[in-house]
Amino acid sequence: MSALTDFLHRLLRDAVRISWTLFRIMVPVIVAVKVLEELGAVVLLSRLLEPVMAWVGLPGGMGLVWATAMATNLYGGIVVFAALAGTTPLSVAQVTVLTGMMLIAHSLPVELRVAQQAGARLRAMLLLRVGGALLFGMVMNLLYTRGGWLQAPSALLWRPEPAAAGWAAWALGELQGLALIFAVVVGLLLTLRVLERIGVISLVNRLLRPLLRLLGIGEQAMTLTLVGMTLGLSYGGGLLIAESRAGHVSRFDVLYAMSLLGLCHSLIEDTLLMVLLGGHLSGILLARLVFALVAVFLLVRLVGRLPRGFVERHLVRGTAPRTALVAEEGR
């Protein structure tokens, strides 16, 4: 009984520590984004993106959808998309391109800050997320157009209720979201502890070892990366912050893991949301996963050829803990 109590005490202590790290990042950013949204910054961003939408075969008005998703979150982009869907007919291919771009680049103020705290440079992650989304959109638009695939009109399968107006309703919704994050962190830590005890983590690491060698991501970082890929960047990133600060994960592994998470995370929930908007799994799941793996594979090879000084100035931040330096020396 005392062992169980001690286990639960350590579990809650770690959950509070990780959640507090996330909340200190998220809360100021969430408030700042809300203020900027009220001041019209999202609309301004959407106007800047209108010409860019032509590069990916989308109407200019869809820039507002992507801008809202990048500045707030996917749900904000979904609400705007639902409002425009009736007046701006799109093909399944076009919706797949748009939703794929939203999946790669959304919630940037919060998620970029998480990546920065984990040890990656903010500007590098911003370029990767936005540039990666645009490149993905252009490639998928070219493939769908040249192949004549998914050209049928798209149908919106779910129309969300508009969010309640007012700061009070917004604050309540954000508090509920933070409470959910804490609950998920507790569940994640408990699951990881159990899987570690029964040997599943070790088995997964052995099975993934060929892929780890190919991508250049350390096994410890890959375990946490899988959490982010399946459940979300904030969860995987929060665990990576804790592990990198403890010196268990090298700065290079953090860079590669956060790059992979930035391009491809929350494969379950977010993908299902985009399916409800009319996105096709060929783009928002299969192509996005392949795109992310290829991009990180190339990134690892590129970083290996760059001068160490350039990498430390532009790609990774902070000083590696002593226990992580050994892993870095072998790269």
PDB file of all heavy atoms in Angstrom, residues 216-251:
ATOM      1  N   GLY A 216      17.750   9.424 -37.363  1.00  0.00           N
ATOM      2  CA  GLY A 216      18.753  10.073 -36.530  1.00  0.00           C
ATOM      3  C   GLY A 216      18.219  10.563 -35.199  1.00  0.00           C
ATOM      4  O   GLY A 216      18.849  11.385 -34.541  1.00  0.00           O
ATOM      5  N   ILE A 217      17.042  10.070 -34.778  1.00  0.00           N
ATOM      6  CA  ILE A 217      16.452  10.469 -33.497  1.00  0.00           C
ATOM      7  C   ILE A 217      16.771   9.401 -32.458  1.00  0.00           C
ATOM      8  O   ILE A 217      16.565   8.211 -32.699  1.00  0.00           O
ATOM      9  CB  ILE A 217      14.931  10.639 -33.618  1.00  0.00           C
ATOM     10  CG1 ILE A 217      14.601  11.719 -34.650  1.00  0.00           C
ATOM     11  CG2 ILE A 217      14.307  10.996 -32.273  1.00  0.00           C
ATOM     12  CD1 ILE A 217      13.116  11.902 -34.888  1.00  0.00           C
ATOM     13  N   GLY A 218      17.274   9.834 -31.290  1.00  0.00           N
ATOM     14  CA  GLY A 218      17.594   8.908 -30.218  1.00  0.00           C
ATOM     15  C   GLY A 218      16.364   8.188 -29.703  1.00  0.00           C
ATOM     16  O   GLY A 218      15.246   8.681 -29.793  1.00  0.00           O
ATOM     17  N   GLU A 219      16.568   7.004 -29.130  1.00  0.00           N
ATOM     18  CA  GLU A 219      15.443   6.174 -28.694  1.00  0.00           C
ATOM     19  C   GLU A 219      14.612   6.854 -27.611  1.00  0.00           C
ATOM     20  O   GLU A 219      13.385   6.767 -27.611  1.00  0.00           O
ATOM     21  CB  GLU A 219      15.961   4.826 -28.198  1.00  0.00           C
ATOM     22  CG  GLU A 219      16.592   3.986 -29.294  1.00  0.00           C
ATOM     23  CD  GLU A 219      17.001   2.604 -28.804  1.00  0.00           C
ATOM     24  OE1 GLU A 219      16.516   2.194 -27.738  1.00  0.00           O
ATOM     25  OE2 GLU A 219      17.793   1.954 -29.487  1.00  0.00           O
ATOM     26  N   GLN A 220      15.264   7.524 -26.646  1.00  0.00           N
ATOM     27  CA  GLN A 220      14.523   8.191 -25.583  1.00  0.00           C
ATOM     28  C   GLN A 220      13.627   9.280 -26.146  1.00  0.00           C
ATOM     29  O   GLN A 220      12.461   9.417 -25.765  1.00  0.00           O
ATOM     30  CB  GLN A 220      15.499   8.793 -24.561  1.00  0.00           C
ATOM     31  CG  GLN A 220      14.823   9.499 -23.392  1.00  0.00           C
ATOM     32  CD  GLN A 220      14.005   8.536 -22.533  1.00  0.00           C
ATOM     33  OE1 GLN A 220      14.402   7.396 -22.335  1.00  0.00           O
ATOM     34  NE2 GLN A 220      12.867   8.988 -22.042  1.00  0.00           N
ATOM     35  N   ALA A 221      14.159  10.053 -27.091  1.00  0.00           N
ATOM     36  CA  ALA A 221      13.363  11.109 -27.711  1.00  0.00           C
ATOM     37  C   ALA A 221      12.251  10.523 -28.570  1.00  0.00           C
ATOM     38  O   ALA A 221      11.161  11.077 -28.649  1.00  0.00           O
ATOM     39  CB  ALA A 221      14.258  12.011 -28.550  1.00  0.00           C
ATOM     40  N   MET A 222      12.517   9.384 -29.210  1.00  0.00           N
ATOM     41  CA  MET A 222      11.516   8.801 -30.099  1.00  0.00           C
ATOM     42  C   MET A 222      10.304   8.322 -29.333  1.00  0.00           C
ATOM     43  O   MET A 222       9.173   8.452 -29.796  1.00  0.00           O
ATOM     44  CB  MET A 222      12.131   7.639 -30.882  1.00  0.00           C
ATOM     45  CG  MET A 222      11.268   7.155 -32.036  1.00  0.00           C
ATOM     46  SD  MET A 222      10.963   8.440 -33.272  1.00  0.00           S
ATOM     47  CE  MET A 222       9.928   7.555 -34.428  1.00  0.00           C
ATOM     48  N   THR A 223      10.518   7.783 -28.140  1.00  0.00           N
ATOM     49  CA  THR A 223       9.387   7.346 -27.319  1.00  0.00           C
ATOM     50  C   THR A 223       8.453   8.517 -27.029  1.00  0.00           C
ATOM     51  O   THR A 223       7.230   8.405 -27.151  1.00  0.00           O
ATOM     52  CB  THR A 223       9.892   6.753 -25.993  1.00  0.00           C
ATOM     53  OG1 THR A 223      10.754   5.652 -26.272  1.00  0.00           O
ATOM     54  CG2 THR A 223       8.729   6.271 -25.143  1.00  0.00           C
ATOM     55  N   LEU A 224       9.026   9.653 -26.659  1.00  0.00           N
ATOM     56  CA  LEU A 224       8.221  10.838 -26.374  1.00  0.00           C
ATOM     57  C   LEU A 224       7.640  11.428 -27.653  1.00  0.00           C
ATOM     58  O   LEU A 224       6.550  12.004 -27.645  1.00  0.00           O
ATOM     59  CB  LEU A 224       9.079  11.880 -25.651  1.00  0.00           C
ATOM     60  CG  LEU A 224       9.769  11.385 -24.378  1.00  0.00           C
ATOM     61  CD1 LEU A 224      10.618  12.486 -23.762  1.00  0.00           C
ATOM     62  CD2 LEU A 224       8.740  10.879 -23.370  1.00  0.00           C
ATOM     63  N   THR A 225       8.364  11.298 -28.745  1.00  0.00           N
ATOM     64  CA  THR A 225       7.869  11.787 -30.025  1.00  0.00           C
ATOM     65  C   THR A 225       6.617  11.028 -30.444  1.00  0.00           C
ATOM     66  O   THR A 225       5.677  11.615 -30.995  1.00  0.00           O
ATOM     67  CB  THR A 225       8.951  11.645 -31.109  1.00  0.00           C
ATOM     68  OG1 THR A 225      10.126  12.341 -30.695  1.00  0.00           O
ATOM     69  CG2 THR A 225       8.480  12.210 -32.434  1.00  0.00           C
ATOM     70  N   LEU A 226       6.601   9.722 -30.185  1.00  0.00           N
ATOM     71  CA  LEU A 226       5.423   8.932 -30.519  1.00  0.00           C
ATOM     72  C   LEU A 226       4.197   9.417 -29.760  1.00  0.00           C
ATOM     73  O   LEU A 226       3.079   9.405 -30.286  1.00  0.00           O
ATOM     74  CB  LEU A 226       5.680   7.453 -30.224  1.00  0.00           C
ATOM     75  CG  LEU A 226       6.657   6.756 -31.172  1.00  0.00           C
ATOM     76  CD1 LEU A 226       6.972   5.355 -30.670  1.00  0.00           C
ATOM     77  CD2 LEU A 226       6.088   6.705 -32.573  1.00  0.00           C
ATOM     78  N   VAL A 227       4.394   9.852 -28.508  1.00  0.00           N
ATOM     79  CA  VAL A 227       3.289  10.431 -27.735  1.00  0.00           C
ATOM     80  C   VAL A 227       2.749  11.656 -28.454  1.00  0.00           C
ATOM     81  O   VAL A 227       1.537  11.818 -28.623  1.00  0.00           O
ATOM     82  CB  VAL A 227       3.757  10.801 -26.311  1.00  0.00           C
ATOM     83  CG1 VAL A 227       2.676  11.598 -25.588  1.00  0.00           C
ATOM     84  CG2 VAL A 227       4.106   9.550 -25.531  1.00  0.00           C
ATOM     85  N   GLY A 228       3.642  12.535 -28.884  1.00  0.00           N
ATOM     86  CA  GLY A 228       3.208  13.741 -29.573  1.00  0.00           C
ATOM     87  C   GLY A 228       2.562  13.453 -30.912  1.00  0.00           C
ATOM     88  O   GLY A 228       1.583  14.102 -31.290  1.00  0.00           O
ATOM     89  N   MET A 229       3.093  12.481 -31.646  1.00  0.00           N
ATOM     90  CA  MET A 229       2.535  12.161 -32.950  1.00  0.00           C
ATOM     91  C   MET A 229       1.120  11.626 -32.842  1.00  0.00           C
ATOM     92  O   MET A 229       0.271  11.896 -33.695  1.00  0.00           O
ATOM     93  CB  MET A 229       3.422  11.150 -33.670  1.00  0.00           C
ATOM     94  CG  MET A 229       4.758  11.723 -34.131  1.00  0.00           C
ATOM     95  SD  MET A 229       5.756  10.519 -35.030  1.00  0.00           S
ATOM     96  CE  MET A 229       4.795  10.331 -36.544  1.00  0.00           C
ATOM     97  N   THR A 230       0.848  10.863 -31.794  1.00  0.00           N
ATOM     98  CA  THR A 230      -0.489  10.278 -31.646  1.00  0.00           C
ATOM     99  C   THR A 230      -1.464  11.190 -30.921  1.00  0.00           C
ATOM    100  O   THR A 230      -2.651  11.225 -31.246  1.00  0.00           O
ATOM    101  CB  THR A 230      -0.410   8.942 -30.899  1.00  0.00           C
ATOM    102  OG1 THR A 230       0.290   9.140 -29.663  1.00  0.00           O
ATOM    103  CG2 THR A 230       0.333   7.911 -31.733  1.00  0.00           C
ATOM    104  N   LEU A 231      -0.981  11.964 -29.933  1.00  0.00           N
ATOM    105  CA  LEU A 231      -1.886  12.746 -29.103  1.00  0.00           C
ATOM    106  C   LEU A 231      -1.768  14.253 -29.274  1.00  0.00           C
ATOM    107  O   LEU A 231      -2.737  14.974 -29.047  1.00  0.00           O
ATOM    108  CB  LEU A 231      -1.684  12.393 -27.626  1.00  0.00           C
ATOM    109  CG  LEU A 231      -2.043  10.966 -27.244  1.00  0.00           C
ATOM    110  CD1 LEU A 231      -1.713  10.715 -25.781  1.00  0.00           C
ATOM    111  CD2 LEU A 231      -3.510  10.682 -27.514  1.00  0.00           C
ATOM    112  N   GLY A 232      -0.622  14.776 -29.636  1.00  0.00           N
ATOM    113  CA  GLY A 232      -0.498  16.218 -29.818  1.00  0.00           C
ATOM    114  C   GLY A 232       0.864  16.745 -29.439  1.00  0.00           C
ATOM    115  O   GLY A 232       1.553  16.186 -28.576  1.00  0.00           O
ATOM    116  N   LEU A 233       1.278  17.837 -30.083  1.00  0.00           N
ATOM    117  CA  LEU A 233       2.598  18.401 -29.866  1.00  0.00           C
ATOM    118  C   LEU A 233       2.790  18.899 -28.444  1.00  0.00           C
ATOM    119  O   LEU A 233       3.869  18.768 -27.869  1.00  0.00           O
ATOM    120  CB  LEU A 233       2.856  19.537 -30.868  1.00  0.00           C
ATOM    121  CG  LEU A 233       4.243  20.159 -30.879  1.00  0.00           C
ATOM    122  CD1 LEU A 233       4.629  20.585 -32.281  1.00  0.00           C
ATOM    123  CD2 LEU A 233       4.314  21.376 -29.955  1.00  0.00           C
ATOM    124  N   SER A 234       1.766  19.505 -27.863  1.00  0.00           N
ATOM    125  CA  SER A 234       1.915  20.041 -26.512  1.00  0.00           C
ATOM    126  C   SER A 234       2.238  18.949 -25.504  1.00  0.00           C
ATOM    127  O   SER A 234       3.054  19.151 -24.595  1.00  0.00           O
ATOM    128  CB  SER A 234       0.640  20.780 -26.086  1.00  0.00           C
ATOM    129  OG  SER A 234       0.448  21.936 -26.869  1.00  0.00           O
ATOM    130  N   TYR A 235       1.613  17.776 -25.660  1.00  0.00           N
ATOM    131  CA  TYR A 235       1.866  16.676 -24.730  1.00  0.00           C
ATOM    132  C   TYR A 235       3.263  16.102 -24.941  1.00  0.00           C
ATOM    133  O   TYR A 235       4.048  15.957 -23.994  1.00  0.00           O
ATOM    134  CB  TYR A 235       0.815  15.583 -24.906  1.00  0.00           C
ATOM    135  CG  TYR A 235      -0.591  16.091 -24.756  1.00  0.00           C
ATOM    136  CD1 TYR A 235      -1.517  15.940 -25.777  1.00  0.00           C
ATOM    137  CD2 TYR A 235      -0.984  16.764 -23.604  1.00  0.00           C
ATOM    138  CE1 TYR A 235      -2.815  16.423 -25.642  1.00  0.00           C
ATOM    139  CE2 TYR A 235      -2.273  17.256 -23.467  1.00  0.00           C
ATOM    140  CZ  TYR A 235      -3.179  17.072 -24.490  1.00  0.00           C
ATOM    141  OH  TYR A 235      -4.456  17.557 -24.358  1.00  0.00           O
ATOM    142  N   GLY A 236       3.600  15.765 -26.181  1.00  0.00           N
ATOM    143  CA  GLY A 236       4.933  15.256 -26.460  1.00  0.00           C
ATOM    144  C   GLY A 236       5.998  16.294 -26.181  1.00  0.00           C
ATOM    145  O   GLY A 236       7.065  15.984 -25.644  1.00  0.00           O
ATOM    146  N   GLY A 237       5.700  17.576 -26.528  1.00  0.00           N
ATOM    147  CA  GLY A 237       6.654  18.639 -26.271  1.00  0.00           C
ATOM    148  C   GLY A 237       6.868  18.884 -24.796  1.00  0.00           C
ATOM    149  O   GLY A 237       7.988  19.145 -24.354  1.00  0.00           O
ATOM    150  N   GLY A 238       5.809  18.791 -24.010  1.00  0.00           N
ATOM    151  CA  GLY A 238       5.939  18.965 -22.567  1.00  0.00           C
ATOM    152  C   GLY A 238       6.831  17.908 -21.951  1.00  0.00           C
ATOM    153  O   GLY A 238       7.668  18.208 -21.093  1.00  0.00           O
ATOM    154  N   LEU A 239       6.672  16.677 -22.399  1.00  0.00           N
ATOM    155  CA  LEU A 239       7.535  15.603 -21.900  1.00  0.00           C
ATOM    156  C   LEU A 239       8.976  15.799 -22.365  1.00  0.00           C
ATOM    157  O   LEU A 239       9.922  15.545 -21.623  1.00  0.00           O
ATOM    158  CB  LEU A 239       7.003  14.255 -22.387  1.00  0.00           C
ATOM    159  CG  LEU A 239       5.620  13.844 -21.859  1.00  0.00           C
ATOM    160  CD1 LEU A 239       5.142  12.577 -22.543  1.00  0.00           C
ATOM    161  CD2 LEU A 239       5.634  13.660 -20.354  1.00  0.00           C
ATOM    162  N   LEU A 240       9.146  16.285 -23.605  1.00  0.00           N
ATOM    163  CA  LEU A 240      10.493  16.528 -24.111  1.00  0.00           C
ATOM    164  C   LEU A 240      11.187  17.652 -23.349  1.00  0.00           C
ATOM    165  O   LEU A 240      12.392  17.608 -23.121  1.00  0.00           O
ATOM    166  CB  LEU A 240      10.429  16.876 -25.601  1.00  0.00           C
ATOM    167  CG  LEU A 240      10.473  15.701 -26.576  1.00  0.00           C
ATOM    168  CD1 LEU A 240      10.188  16.184 -27.992  1.00  0.00           C
ATOM    169  CD2 LEU A 240      11.806  14.992 -26.513  1.00  0.00           C
ATOM    170  N   ILE A 241      10.424  18.679 -22.961  1.00  0.00           N
ATOM    171  CA  ILE A 241      11.003  19.770 -22.164  1.00  0.00           C
ATOM    172  C   ILE A 241      11.567  19.210 -20.864  1.00  0.00           C
ATOM    173  O   ILE A 241      12.699  19.511 -20.469  1.00  0.00           O
ATOM    174  CB  ILE A 241       9.942  20.851 -21.875  1.00  0.00           C
ATOM    175  CG1 ILE A 241       9.592  21.609 -23.158  1.00  0.00           C
ATOM    176  CG2 ILE A 241      10.456  21.839 -20.813  1.00  0.00           C
ATOM    177  CD1 ILE A 241       8.440  22.585 -22.990  1.00  0.00           C
ATOM    178  N   ALA A 242      10.762  18.387 -20.192  1.00  0.00           N
ATOM    179  CA  ALA A 242      11.205  17.812 -18.921  1.00  0.00           C
ATOM    180  C   ALA A 242      12.431  16.933 -19.109  1.00  0.00           C
ATOM    181  O   ALA A 242      13.395  17.002 -18.331  1.00  0.00           O
ATOM    182  CB  ALA A 242      10.067  17.013 -18.294  1.00  0.00           C
ATOM    183  N   GLU A 243      12.445  16.114 -20.156  1.00  0.00           N
ATOM    184  CA  GLU A 243      13.567  15.203 -20.377  1.00  0.00           C
ATOM    185  C   GLU A 243      14.830  15.941 -20.815  1.00  0.00           C
ATOM    186  O   GLU A 243      15.934  15.595 -20.412  1.00  0.00           O
ATOM    187  CB  GLU A 243      13.189  14.151 -21.430  1.00  0.00           C
ATOM    188  CG  GLU A 243      12.142  13.149 -20.967  1.00  0.00           C
ATOM    189  CD  GLU A 243      12.622  12.348 -19.780  1.00  0.00           C
ATOM    190  OE1 GLU A 243      13.644  11.672 -19.895  1.00  0.00           O
ATOM    191  OE2 GLU A 243      11.978  12.423 -18.719  1.00  0.00           O
ATOM    192  N   SER A 244      14.663  16.981 -21.639  1.00  0.00           N
ATOM    193  CA  SER A 244      15.842  17.728 -22.089  1.00  0.00           C
ATOM    194  C   SER A 244      16.452  18.517 -20.942  1.00  0.00           C
ATOM    195  O   SER A 244      17.685  18.618 -20.829  1.00  0.00           O
ATOM    196  CB  SER A 244      15.470  18.663 -23.246  1.00  0.00           C
ATOM    197  OG  SER A 244      14.547  19.659 -22.834  1.00  0.00           O
ATOM    198  N   ARG A 245      15.624  19.074 -20.064  1.00  0.00           N
ATOM    199  CA  ARG A 245      16.147  19.813 -18.914  1.00  0.00           C
ATOM    200  C   ARG A 245      16.827  18.882 -17.919  1.00  0.00           C
ATOM    201  O   ARG A 245      17.750  19.301 -17.207  1.00  0.00           O
ATOM    202  CB  ARG A 245      15.022  20.597 -18.241  1.00  0.00           C
ATOM    203  CG  ARG A 245      14.536  21.779 -19.086  1.00  0.00           C
ATOM    204  CD  ARG A 245      13.432  22.552 -18.406  1.00  0.00           C
ATOM    205  NE  ARG A 245      13.066  23.725 -19.193  1.00  0.00           N
ATOM    206  CZ  ARG A 245      12.070  24.547 -18.884  1.00  0.00           C
ATOM    207  NH1 ARG A 245      11.329  24.337 -17.805  1.00  0.00           N
ATOM    208  NH2 ARG A 245      11.811  25.595 -19.646  1.00  0.00           N
ATOM    209  N   ALA A 246      16.378  17.641 -17.886  1.00  0.00           N
ATOM    210  CA  ALA A 246      17.020  16.671 -17.000  1.00  0.00           C
ATOM    211  C   ALA A 246      18.291  16.097 -17.615  1.00  0.00           C
ATOM    212  O   ALA A 246      19.035  15.381 -16.950  1.00  0.00           O
ATOM    213  CB  ALA A 246      16.048  15.541 -16.678  1.00  0.00           C
ATOM    214  N   GLY A 247      18.544  16.423 -18.884  1.00  0.00           N
ATOM    215  CA  GLY A 247      19.747  15.947 -19.543  1.00  0.00           C
ATOM    216  C   GLY A 247      19.633  14.566 -20.143  1.00  0.00           C
ATOM    217  O   GLY A 247      20.635  13.958 -20.503  1.00  0.00           O
ATOM    218  N   HIS A 248      18.407  14.063 -20.310  1.00  0.00           N
ATOM    219  CA  HIS A 248      18.215  12.722 -20.843  1.00  0.00           C
ATOM    220  C   HIS A 248      18.135  12.704 -22.369  1.00  0.00           C
ATOM    221  O   HIS A 248      18.211  11.628 -22.979  1.00  0.00           O
ATOM    222  CB  HIS A 248      16.946  12.098 -20.272  1.00  0.00           C
ATOM    223  CG  HIS A 248      16.973  11.962 -18.781  1.00  0.00           C
ATOM    224  ND1 HIS A 248      15.830  11.935 -18.012  1.00  0.00           N
ATOM    225  CD2 HIS A 248      18.008  11.881 -17.914  1.00  0.00           C
ATOM    226  CE1 HIS A 248      16.168  11.830 -16.731  1.00  0.00           C
ATOM    227  NE2 HIS A 248      17.488  11.788 -16.650  1.00  0.00           N
ATOM    228  N   VAL A 249      17.900  13.879 -22.973  1.00  0.00           N
ATOM    229  CA  VAL A 249      17.749  13.972 -24.423  1.00  0.00           C
ATOM    230  C   VAL A 249      18.679  15.066 -24.929  1.00  0.00           C
ATOM    231  O   VAL A 249      18.698  16.171 -24.381  1.00  0.00           O
ATOM    232  CB  VAL A 249      16.292  14.312 -24.819  1.00  0.00           C
ATOM    233  CG1 VAL A 249      16.151  14.380 -26.333  1.00  0.00           C
ATOM    234  CG2 VAL A 249      15.320  13.281 -24.252  1.00  0.00           C
ATOM    235  N   SER A 250      19.460  14.781 -25.962  1.00  0.00           N
ATOM    236  CA  SER A 250      20.396  15.762 -26.500  1.00  0.00           C
ATOM    237  C   SER A 250      19.660  16.852 -27.263  1.00  0.00           C
ATOM    238  O   SER A 250      18.514  16.679 -27.686  1.00  0.00           O
ATOM    239  CB  SER A 250      21.405  15.083 -27.425  1.00  0.00           C
ATOM    240  OG  SER A 250      20.813  14.788 -28.685  1.00  0.00           O
ATOM    241  N   ARG A 251      20.342  17.980 -27.479  1.00  0.00           N
ATOM    242  CA  ARG A 251      19.737  19.088 -28.214  1.00  0.00           C
ATOM    243  C   ARG A 251      19.415  18.698 -29.652  1.00  0.00           C
ATOM    244  O   ARG A 251      18.424  19.154 -30.215  1.00  0.00           O
ATOM    245  CB  ARG A 251      20.672  20.304 -28.201  1.00  0.00           C
ATOM    246  CG  ARG A 251      20.834  20.936 -26.823  1.00  0.00           C
ATOM    247  CD  ARG A 251      21.850  22.060 -26.872  1.00  0.00           C
ATOM    248  NE  ARG A 251      23.167  21.545 -27.257  1.00  0.00           N
ATOM    249  CZ  ARG A 251      24.193  22.333 -27.568  1.00  0.00           C
ATOM    250  NH1 ARG A 251      24.048  23.642 -27.548  1.00  0.00           N
ATOM    251  NH2 ARG A 251      25.361  21.804 -27.894  1.00  0.00           N
TER     252      ARG A 251
END
